[in-house]
Amino acid sequence: MDLPGPIHDFLLVFLGSGLILGGLGVVLLTNPIYSTFSLGLVLVCISLFYILSNSHFVVAAQLLIYVGAINVVILFAVMFINGSEYYKDFNLLTIGMALLRWFVQIIWTTRSNQIIEQDLISNSQQIGIHLATDFFLPFEFISIILLVALIGAIAVARQ
Amino acid sequence: MMLEHILVLSAYLFSIGIYGLITSRNMVRALMCLELILNAVNINFLKGNIFSIFVIAIAAAEASIGSAIVSSIYRNRKSTRINQSTLLNK
């Protein structure tokens, strides 16, 4: 989307801070319902990032499927299961430091000229054409996977 | 400026997701951190390719099966601690 410069930057900072705080909220909040809602905030911020990247079909797919279906399924699972213990068993500080070092290594060893930006203009028609011609076989396999997964989930979760 | 910011945020979400997945004692919180990891990988595919839609569909299937398994484990054992499966420890 062609926004003016300051609005674009402000939206980037806003969504980035929302993502950072939401990610911390999913992991660190003790009440699991609060962390589910924080996960919903993270998913909405990610879909707004997709708006800024000019891929509008993924925005709608992300909002409908992730926030509307997956987050609700996780909320069902949280509601059905009582008694949430969040008790730190082992030393979390060493794991946190190891992950911080790993995160910094990911960022600092990716030089800027290695990032290749694809020139794929992905509006809805282009995605539809690709799904119907190039990616027809993965499309059929994905539909079979979804059918088998839903039948399996119902068979496992039934009484 | 947009490119590096999205990749840095994707790496950050991936690290936070793995940290939460390792150190969570609750099974549903582990499922939520798994969804965080999948979303971080999904946002790494810039410009919203076809593969992002496939990742969203696979994540939906996996979330439904994961929650079905967690609810059946809760029904059988009455608690959802991750470190309760110690039958192979002897």
Side-chain angles (χ1 to χ4, degrees), chain A residues 8-9 12 16 19-20 23-24 26-27 29-30 35-36 39 42-43 46 49-50 52-53 55 57-58 62 65-66 70 73-74 77-78 80-82 84-87 89-90 92 95 99 102-103 106-107 115 117-118 120 122 127 130-131 135 138 142 146 149 153 156-159, chain B residues 1-9 11-20 22-26 28-29 31-33 35-36 38-40 42-50 52-61 63-65 67-72 74-75 80-81 83:
Chain A
H8 193 89
D9 295 342
L12 267 183
L19 268 184
I20 289 174
L24 285 177
V26 170
V27 171
L29 286 173
T30 52
S35 69
T36 309
L39 181 72
V42 167
L43 296 173
I46 286 181
F49 260 120
Y50 277 123
L52 290 181
S53 295
S55 51
F57 183 73
V58 189
Q62 176 105 9
I65 297 177
Y66 260 121
I70 292 181
V73 162
I74 289 179
V78 164
F80 277 147
I81 294 170
N82 314 322
S84 62
E85 313 84 59
Y86 188 64
Y87 158 72
D89 276 342
F90 42 92
L92 296 175
I95 296 180
L99 279 173
W102 185 22
F103 168 62
I106 288 175
I107 291 179
I115 300 172
E117 180 176 345
Q118 285 194 8
L120 182 69
S122 62
I127 287 183
H130 276 284
L131 269 182
F135 298 97
I142 285 277
L146 278 173
V156 167
R158 229 166 30 146
Q159 191 58 37
Chain B
M1 181 190 168
M2 173 88 164
L3 211 66
E4 292 89 13
H5 279 226
I6 280 190
L7 294 185
V8 165
L9 280 172
Y12 167 78
L13 270 184
F14 188 75
S15 311
I16 288 280
I18 285 197
Y19 173 76
I22 291 178
T23 65
S24 79
R25 204 186 178 212
N26 200 2
V28 191
R29 191 180 298 267
L31 263 181
M32 287 194 279
C33 294
E35 294 303 319
L36 258 190
L38 276 170
N39 265 311
N42 209 6
I43 205 175
N44 222 1
F45 294 106
L46 292 178
K47 293 291 183 181
N49 270 334
I50 295 289
S52 300
I53 300 178
F54 288 159
V55 170
I56 288 179
I58 293 292
S64 65
I65 288 186
S67 71
I69 287 179
V70 164
S71 53
S72 72
Y74 176 70
R75 206 184 300 137
T80 54
R81 285 183 300 126
N83 52 358

Side-chain angles (χ1 to χ4, degrees), chain A residues 97-142:
Chain A
M97 284 300 130
L99 279 173
L100 183 65
R101 184 209 169 270
W102 185 22
F103 168 62
V104 167
Q105 180 174 1
I106 288 175
I107 291 179
W108 280 1
T109 57
T110 304
R111 288 183 288 270
S112 294
N113 55 359
Q114 283 179 358
I115 300 172
I116 301 172
E117 180 176 345
Q118 285 194 8
D119 208 7
L120 182 69
I121 307 167
S122 62
N123 46 358
S124 305
Q125 283 183 343
Q126 197 76 18
I127 287 183
I129 289 174
H130 276 284
L131 269 182
T133 58
D134 288 333
F135 298 97
F136 191 61
L137 192 61
F139 174 67
E140 297 297 327
F141 278 156
I142 285 277

